[in-house]
Amino acid sequence: MSAPVMGAATGSVAGVLRSERVVLRAYVLFRLGGLLQVVIGAVTTFPHYQPLVAGVALCAVVSGESFALIAVGLRLRRVPPRALVAADAAVMAGVLVVGGGLTDRAHGHTWAYFVYPFSLLASVGFGLVCTRLVSVVALAALPAAAYAVTAVTRLGEPVWNAVPNSVPYLANAGVAWAVAGALRRTGRELDLATDTAMVKEAELAAERERVRHARLLHDRVLQTLETLAREPWITDPGLHAHVRAEAVWLRGFVRGEHPVTGNGDLASGLARLAEDMARIGQTVEVHTAQLRSASERAARVPEKVADALVEATREALTNVVKHAGTARAVVRAELAGDVVMVSVLDNGTGFDPTTLPTGSGLDGSVRDRVAGVGGRVTIDSAPGAGTYVEMRVPGLKPRDPSPLSKDREAGS
């Protein structure tokens, strides 16, 4: 197959393009070097051609075809397509036969047979164009065979000499194939290194931004929380404990002790959340047995969805601490088909959902996080009847329960 112009569907391709242009320059230079052999042979030995006009015509054919291939390569900014190079191999075999017919037998081993040195240099192009060694060998074998047959049958060269003289076609093309392959690999590796460096730079920029935000949080929000946690201005014990716990967490985040997201395991994330809430005096019952069972056999919850649901649940539980007047809540997570559901239930004071302010914790943080992963939130509450918050995210990817299928997928 012909060499590709692009290294990958996405990412950097400068290295690949640069290597292709180096290969193209090599192709053009070797082709021009072959034409130089034609000029030398034609000028120094033209009296030996029978007839002379046929020798001149052969020179014209060789030169015209060479310049046409060079023009195509320069226009495409890469080596010519394989189809054209395959045709070039056939033309090269033809001119070897015709050139042998035009050269008198006595001068068959001199510059008079100019198509031989020309074709030796031109055969380098087979290795520069083709990326598969078998294709290189097949194309180079065509002029090699044409030379050997012509040298033996027309020019009287002995077989033991003609056959070794045909080997350089294969050698030239093979060496060119190896060098071009190394150049192309270097280009791809350069692009991969560039992409990796760009990713690292993006990660470094993100870390710098995180540090800047952490500094702002430390100087503004953290100082305020720690002051509220230290002073007796908040009289409600539960809320005071919550503020103190949030201040501790925020200081850990500023120090880089807490990741921005979880590990993608929804059940484990909810369990850790219950532990966090327990430290501020809230009792949270977490029911995830059905989720764990279904996750093993039905579908898996993507990390992004799991993180969004855990954080939305955290906001819902924080809302219970602030407004529901109760220290207890029940969290349940279930998986039905391709839908994951997490609910938060409390038996607190409740409220009228129609009066829920826009941008409040439930309306803003909870709805926004769940909507961000394609889900929706239902809130059911009434004054004195507690609150039920249900979060649903559809479209989960089914899990293949068959080990054989997993093996097939891994091997594909």
Side-chain angles (χ1 to χ4, degrees):
M1 59 182 292
S2 297
V5 178
M6 306 292 282
T10 58
S12 302
V13 294
V16 170
L17 293 176
R18 190 176 297 115
S19 65
E20 284 299 322
R21 287 166 188 167
V22 171
V23 172
L24 172 61
R25 284 196 289 270
Y27 181 90
V28 171
L29 290 175
F30 274 102
R31 198 77 191 198
L32 291 176
L35 289 179
L36 180 60
Q37 305 295 314
V38 174
V39 172
I40 294 174
V43 170
T44 60
T45 61
F46 70 91
H48 301 296
Y49 299 125
Q50 303 296 331
L52 179 61
V53 66
V56 173
L58 183 60
C59 290
V61 168
V62 169
S63 300
E65 193 238 0
S66 295
F67 283 122
L69 287 172
I70 291 173
V72 170
L74 294 177
R75 181 169 57 85
L76 296 178
R77 305 184 73 179
R78 63 180 178 86
V79 290
R82 181 187 170 188
L84 290 182
V85 176
D88 177 47
V91 171
M92 202 176 297
V95 298
L96 282 164
V97 174
V98 173
L102 295 178
T103 306
D104 60 75
R105 193 181 186 93
H107 295 86
H109 309 298
T110 69
W111 278 97
Y113 192 33
F114 65 85
V115 288
Y116 175 63
F118 159 77
S119 58
L120 280 180
L121 285 177
S123 64
V124 171
F126 304 147
L128 297 178
V129 170
C130 299
T131 56
R132 296 176 58 191
L133 183 58
V134 63
S135 300
V136 174
V137 173
L139 292 180
L142 194 58
Y147 164 77
V149 171
T150 303
V152 172
T153 61
R154 178 67 184 85
L155 302 177
E157 188 173 347
V159 174
W160 55 264
N161 194 57
V163 172
N165 283 344
S166 66
V167 172
Y169 289 99
L170 302 175
N172 288 355
V175 171
W177 170 79
V179 173
L183 280 172
R184 290 177 177 124
R185 282 192 301 274
T186 300
R188 290 192 295 269
E189 290 168 0
L190 176 61
D191 288 338
L192 179 60
T194 301
D195 289 341
T196 301
M198 291 175 64
V199 170
K200 293 295 184 183
E201 179 63 26
E203 291 175 351
L204 180 60
E207 178 61 20
R208 288 171 178 164
E209 188 69 6
R210 190 200 71 80
V211 171
R212 187 178 73 84
H213 290 164
R215 188 180 299 114
L216 291 174
L217 288 172
H218 177 274
D219 295 343
R220 303 291 296 273
V221 181
L222 180 59
Q223 298 289 354
T224 301
L225 282 178
E226 289 184 331
T227 300
L228 292 174
R230 185 171 57 250
E231 302 296 335
W233 296 333
I234 301 177
T235 57
D236 182 87
L239 183 56
H240 190 271
H242 177 69
V243 170
R244 185 168 57 250
E246 289 297 298
V248 171
W249 184 93
L250 184 56
R251 178 163 289 281
F253 174 78
V254 168
R255 292 173 177 172
E257 298 172 0
H258 305 305
V260 177
T261 59
N263 63 2
D265 185 342
L266 178 56
S268 299
L270 293 175
R272 288 194 302 271
L273 176 57
E275 295 174 359
D276 292 343
M277 303 309 290
R279 285 195 288 270
I280 63 173
Q282 186 180 35
T283 301
V284 180
E285 295 180 22
V286 179
H287 301 277
T288 57
Q290 193 277 342
L291 170 67
R292 293 181 184 275
S293 175
S295 296
E296 293 176 356
R297 55 183 172 79
R300 57 176 175 267
V301 180
E303 180 177 349
K304 183 178 179 181
V305 173
D307 291 342
L309 288 173
V310 169
E311 292 307 310
T313 303
R314 182 188 298 276
E315 184 61 33
L317 291 173
T318 300
N319 198 72
V320 172
V321 173
K322 291 180 179 178
H323 306 296
T326 180
R328 298 184 63 85
V330 178
V331 174
R332 184 180 301 275
E334 298 178 354
L335 194 58
D338 68 340
V339 178
V340 61
M341 185 273 290
V342 177
S343 64
V344 179
L345 175 65
D346 70 75
N347 60 350
T349 57
F351 62 94
D352 182 357
T354 61
T355 64
L356 189 65
T358 302
S360 63
L362 289 179
D363 182 71
S365 297
V366 176
R367 290 191 191 276
D368 289 347
R369 283 189 170 94
V370 177
V373 291
R376 61 184 180 85
V377 177
T378 302
I379 301 175
D380 185 12
S381 184
T387 301
Y388 176 75
V389 179
E390 182 177 281
M391 298 164 277
R392 288 180 173 270
V393 179
L396 303 187
K397 182 180 179 181
R399 184 186 296 277
D400 188 349
S402 169
L404 292 178
S405 298
K406 291 180 179 179
D407 291 341
R408 286 195 300 270
E409 181 179 351
S412 61

